[in-house]
Each structure stands twice: as structure tokens, then as C-alpha cells.
Amino acid sequence: MTELLSLSRAARLAGVTRAEIQKRIRHGEMQTFEGQVAISDLLRVYPSVSLEQSGDFERVEQIKAEAYPRSHDEDTRLPSQQVLITRIKALAEALVQRVARVEALEQLLEEVRARLDEMAADAGDKSGASAAAETQTHTQAQALRDLSAWLQTRRTDLAESAVEAAQTQLLARDSFLRIMSASVKMIPSGHEFFVDGNESILEAAVRSGLRLSYGCASGNCGECKARLVSGEVYRLREHDYVLSEREKQMGYLLTCSHTAVTDLQLEAAEAHSPADLPEQEIQAQIRKLEPQSGGLMLLHVQTPRTNTLRFMAGQRARLRLADGPEQELPIASCPCNGRNLLFTLRQGDDAFSQAVFETVTPRQPVTLTGPYGDFVLADATEPAVFIALGDGIAPIKSLIEHAVSIDSIEAFHLYWSVPAPRMHDHQPWCRALRETLDNFAFTPLVDAACDDLLALLESDLEALPDNRYYIAGPGSAVQAVVSTLLAAGVPQARIASEELD
């Protein structure tokens, strides 16, 4: 029987990104069977797969860890003892079943061989027939003996073949990964993510960029309720929210209070558009202020542990200080950590800007309202081109971090143009992504005109209409770039823009 793996698990085993697997599939190098790939195909495309971790995969995980702070301070590298024991028991049971099935198949093969030998002997013992009949009988007996010998030879060849050894090695690594983490497949969306260490299902989903419904994240509101379709879970903490008896019978649980023991299938609603997210008001605090060159301030805002902001990458939020001034700003961080939010603010004459640059201090309260806007990632895997104009890098940064987190886009290219004499304030972040991700390119520009930008795009990209474009910055500049792309043949449906004026 062909061994099949989900795309996410295949990517982990091969030490590549999920987007890389999808690219191979689109180019016809691998086949899919109901959204899964065969181990034999994986080994053919990645023959060097071994039990050792791939450096590329480790670098990708490292950049994710550095880009997105954890939403809690617990040690989540290893599962709890109870979860580890349960996973090992489940794998042992699966191994016993697999061994029993193999032994049964081997016994069946021996019985078939024995039956073939008996039939060959019976055919050879016939006497008194005509010479022609004896010749035919002898030929049939020899054919049966040849078939029996072929079965034995084939059995030996399969047991000793390098392909079988490589598959065994891959399955061994898969078993190890299943001890360290469990995969969760969402129904009906089909999205898949991994629960690592001692984190809850909800924490793992948010870290992976999924837009599940949740509220307090501490077991009080019941907003993160989901139905367990298959698999085994372990309760990490008690919760105050009371499930009805009918809900318990149907398999409902709170994802904030449970972790995955084995691979799971969960039925839960996900937000598919900005309209699916409710407006939230959260009492947060200023965690840190980082002045930058050119009159720019990085504003770090932290929400309470029990009330994180649900938003989509590229959206905005309104910040209101205790003494009244407020301003709506793009969120410059990934939704995978809705508790630690980053905003960029350019110094100006308005009351909010003056307060931030002159009087606001860390730990000062701030009221957070949002999210707003529909400048979000499309649910697509084509290569993405991000064009940031000036301070438009803020929402673009959020989009890119989220795209890296969900690992579904084939390739990224960031073009960032700033007016002279400004600097590219997030350039270290851009360089880190470029050095870490093989499919990420960064082109810094200064006062780039539309014609120059179009010439760069045509030089760097194989075909302009085959990409998706995300453009953010001052309104007039964004409109000019959008018009240039449309004139170059890019469909309107492949362009998303955010005007920051």
C-alpha cells in the first residue's frame, strides 16, 4: 500500500518549506492524492532525506522564532510528560498493528507460494494423457514453479532494496516528529498546522497564522470552541466555561485549554475575510518606545494575556491615549502574536504624534480599537510582489511576516522606495529575511519613479500578470503604481493596495 503524507508533514520531513512542495507539484515533479503526496515521490525528488535535520528548515524556523515573539513565557520546546507518554503509546500501538499486518501479508505470500507449488506438483503427476496433453501440463507446471520462484525473489529484492530502506528511514523520522509534535487538520478549510511542545491547540493555530475564533484565551468565554472529529487531546488546564452535555457528546472542546496528543481533525469556523472579524476594544499598554532616525518612532503595544487582538495582516488599529489624543495606524507585526503589536509613527504636528514623541512613557495605558481595513493577503500561492512606498512598509511588513508564517506563497519580492534622504529603517529585518529564505528577494530604492519601478519589475519577473501585487504608501504614489501595473497588463484582481493618507 502506498504511504501518503500531508503536504505540511512532507515538507517537515524533507526539510523544505510547504511552498517549495507546492511549487514542485505545480511544475509536475510530484503528484498529489487528495491533497497528499506519496513517500516514494518525496524520496525521488529529495533523495538526500535523512534522519538529520535540514539546515534550510532550521533556518526558516529560526527566522520565524526571531520575527514573532512567543505569546507566553512557558517553556514550550518539549511536550509534558503525560503527552509524551501518550504519544509514545499511540505510536507503539500503530507499530504493533503495522507489524501484525506485515506478518499477515508475509504469511499470505507463503501460503500462495505453497499453493502454487502444490498445483505445479499435481500438474506434473498426471499420467496416461496424450503426448500433447503431457507437454501442455508440463508447461503449466513449469509456469507455476517459475511464478513461485519469482514471488520469492521479489520478496527478497523488496526487503533488501535501497528504496525500501530509504522509506523505512523516512518513516522512522516521521515517527520521531510525531512524538515531538502533532498535526491538526481543520475542517472544512483543510488548513493544517503543528502543535509543538506544550502549547495549546489555540496557541499553535495562532502561531501558524490561522484565523480561529477566540476571546479570552484562558477558558472563560468559550469563543475558541471546536469539535473534535478524530484524534486524542489532553487537557492542559481547567476552564470556567461550561460545555453542555450535548456539546460534550458531540466532541466539543476549548482549544485554549487542550493540546494535541495524536494527529487531530478539528471542525471549527475560521475568518475568511475582514468582515468575519469583530471590532474589538482592548485596554492595553505601551511596552516600549524606540526612536529611529528621520523622526520615526517604533511603538510597541502589549495587550493583556487574556485579551489579545484578532486581526488580519495588513489591517489597522486605532490607538487612544489616556488624555484623549488618538490615531489610526497600520499594524506592522504578524497576527500570529496578537498580544505584542508593533506600530510605526512619523513625527508630525498632530496631538497624538506630539504626545508620543514628548510625553508618553513605557507602561502607560492605551486603548486599542480595531481591526480596520481590507488590505489583506489573498488566499493564493502564486509569487507575491510587495511594493512599499515610504512608510507603507508598516502594513507590508505585517503581510510578509504572515506570509512566511503560513508558508504557502511560492516566492516573495519586496521593493521598498523611500524619499531622499530617508533611510530604510527596517533594512536589518529585510536582510535577515533575504539571508534566511531562499525564496525572498529585497530591492531597496530611493525616489523610484513609476517607469523605473516597472522596468525593474519586468527585468526581475518572468511575467508580470503571473504575480500578485501588494502596494502601500501615500495615496497619490500608490495610485500611480497601480495605474502603471494595469497598463502593463496586470489584472485588477491581482492588485491589492493601501493608501495611507
Side-chain angles (χ1 to χ4, degrees):
M1 183 179 69
T2 303
E3 293 284 353
L4 298 177
L5 300 167
S6 68
L7 299 190
S8 295
R9 191 170 290 282
R12 277 204 168 190
L13 289 171
V16 298
T17 64
R18 192 172 187 272
E20 168 69 14
I21 297 288
Q22 291 174 319
K23 178 181 177 180
R24 299 277 192 173
I25 292 171
R26 281 196 297 275
H27 292 176
E29 299 177 45
M30 302 174 69
Q31 292 185 335
T32 57
F33 306 89
E34 298 182 353
Q36 297 181 305
V37 296
I39 284 183
S40 56
D41 259 9
L42 188 66
L43 288 170
R44 177 176 51 78
V45 177
Y46 300 100
S48 60
V49 168
S50 69
L51 290 176
E52 297 179 0
Q53 282 283 3
S54 162
D56 291 340
F57 181 73
E58 288 179 341
R59 286 196 297 273
V60 171
E61 292 302 306
Q62 180 182 2
I63 192 63
K64 288 183 182 181
E66 291 175 353
Y68 322 129
R70 302 294 296 187
S71 58
H72 50 85
D73 299 324
E74 304 172 31
D75 179 10
T76 59
R77 294 185 64 184
L78 288 174
S80 67
Q81 287 183 332
Q82 183 62 41
V83 171
L84 275 174
I85 291 171
T86 307
R87 285 180 182 169
I88 292 172
K89 285 182 178 179
L91 284 172
E93 291 175 1
L95 179 60
V96 168
Q97 294 175 0
R98 183 180 292 275
V99 170
R101 188 163 62 247
V102 170
E103 290 178 347
L105 289 174
E106 287 186 342
Q107 182 178 354
L108 176 60
L109 184 59
E110 283 299 319
E111 291 175 358
V112 170
R113 286 185 60 250
R115 181 57 180 154
L116 289 173
D117 290 341
E118 290 177 5
M119 293 171 64
D122 290 344
D125 288 343
K126 291 183 178 179
S127 61
S130 64
E134 286 184 3
T135 300
Q136 183 180 5
T137 300
H138 177 74
T139 301
Q140 291 174 346
Q142 186 59 45
L144 291 172
R145 284 192 291 269
D146 291 343
L147 179 57
S148 176
W150 177 85
L151 285 174
Q152 179 61 33
T153 302
R154 183 59 179 154
R155 175 186 175 187
T156 303
D157 290 344
L158 287 175
E160 296 177 353
S161 68
V163 173
E164 191 73 16
Q167 290 193 11
T168 301
Q169 187 181 54
L170 192 66
L171 289 172
R173 183 179 180 188
D174 185 37
S175 297
F176 174 76
L177 289 178
R178 288 175 187 269
I179 292 176
M180 302 307 296
S181 61
S183 71
V184 180
K185 185 173 183 179
M186 302 302 300
I187 297 175
S189 70
H191 291 151
E192 185 180 9
F193 61 94
F194 288 93
V195 179
D196 294 323
N198 204 29
E199 62 187 351
S200 69
I201 297 170
L202 177 61
E203 289 168 336
V206 173
R207 172 179 55 79
S208 301
L210 269 67
R211 303 153 181 166
L212 299 186
S213 176
Y214 67 92
C216 67
S218 58
N220 295 317
C221 67
E223 290 294 323
C224 66
K225 186 166 49 180
R227 188 174 75 88
L228 180 64
V229 177
S230 65
E232 185 178 350
V233 298
Y234 174 73
R235 181 178 291 184
L236 293 170
R237 61 185 70 90
E238 297 297 326
H239 52 77
D240 294 334
Y241 182 83
V242 180
L243 294 166
S244 68
E245 287 302 318
R246 177 173 175 78
E247 288 175 328
K248 292 178 182 178
Q249 293 174 3
M250 294 178 66
Y252 280 93
L253 55 86
L254 298 190
T255 57
C256 71
S257 301
H258 292 79
T259 189
V261 174
T262 63
D263 291 351
L264 307 179
Q265 279 194 329
L266 280 183
E267 182 181 18
E270 298 178 52
H272 298 289
S273 70
D276 296 331
L277 293 176
E279 181 179 299
Q280 304 146 64
E281 182 174 304
I282 300 173
Q283 300 303 316
Q285 69 172 4
I286 306 295
R287 186 167 64 91
K288 186 167 60 173
L289 296 163
E290 289 187 273
Q292 307 291 304
S293 61
L296 184 71
M297 181 74 74
L298 299 185
L299 186 61
H300 298 264
V301 175
Q302 189 173 70
T303 71
R305 292 179 181 275
T306 57
N307 198 4
T308 58
L309 180 69
R310 292 181 61 208
F311 68 98
M312 292 185 180
Q315 288 192 292
R316 307 181 301 274
R318 184 180 301 117
L319 283 73
R320 186 174 72 250
L321 301 175
D323 53 357
E326 64 178 36
Q327 187 164 334
E328 190 172 301
L329 295 171
I331 304 171
S333 52
C334 180
C336 54
N337 189 356
R339 189 180 175 222
N340 296 290
L341 308 173
L342 175 65
F343 300 88
T344 61
L345 179 65
R346 186 71 60 180
Q347 190 170 16
D349 297 331
D350 59 283
F352 183 87
S353 172
Q354 291 180 352
V356 169
F357 277 85
E358 297 174 7
T359 63
V360 169
T361 58
R363 298 187 180 277
Q364 185 168 325
V366 59
T367 302
L368 193 67
T369 309
Y372 306 111
D374 56 5
F375 182 59
V376 298
L377 283 175
D379 188 11
T381 60
E382 298 97 339
V385 177
F386 300 91
I387 302 175
L389 306 171
D391 292 338
I393 189 62
I396 291 293
K397 180 175 180 291
S398 178
L399 290 178
I400 291 176
E401 289 188 353
H402 181 59
V404 173
S405 177
I406 60 177
D407 187 19
S408 64
I409 294 178
E410 182 176 315
F412 314 80
H413 199 137
L414 169 61
Y415 298 85
W416 183 9
S417 176
V418 298
R422 284 188 191 173
M423 304 289 290
H424 295 85
D425 303 284
H426 295 284
Q427 195 159 0
W429 169 79
C430 298
R431 285 198 303 266
L433 284 175
R434 183 171 57 189
E435 292 171 1
T436 304
L437 303 175
D438 294 335
N439 60 344
F440 180 84
F442 169 50
T443 304
L445 304 169
V446 176
D447 286 328
C450 285
D451 291 342
D452 296 334
L453 179 59
L454 179 61
L456 274 174
L457 294 174
E458 291 176 335
S459 173
D460 294 340
L461 309 175
E462 293 183 2
L464 294 184
D466 293 344
N467 304 276
R468 289 191 174 270
Y469 297 84
Y470 301 89
I471 309 153
S476 58
V478 168
Q479 292 170 13
V481 172
V482 170
S483 298
T484 300
L485 290 175
L486 292 174
V490 178
Q492 179 70 62
R494 287 179 172 264
I495 301 175
S497 61
E498 175 80 337
E499 300 177 13
L500 299 182
D501 291 346

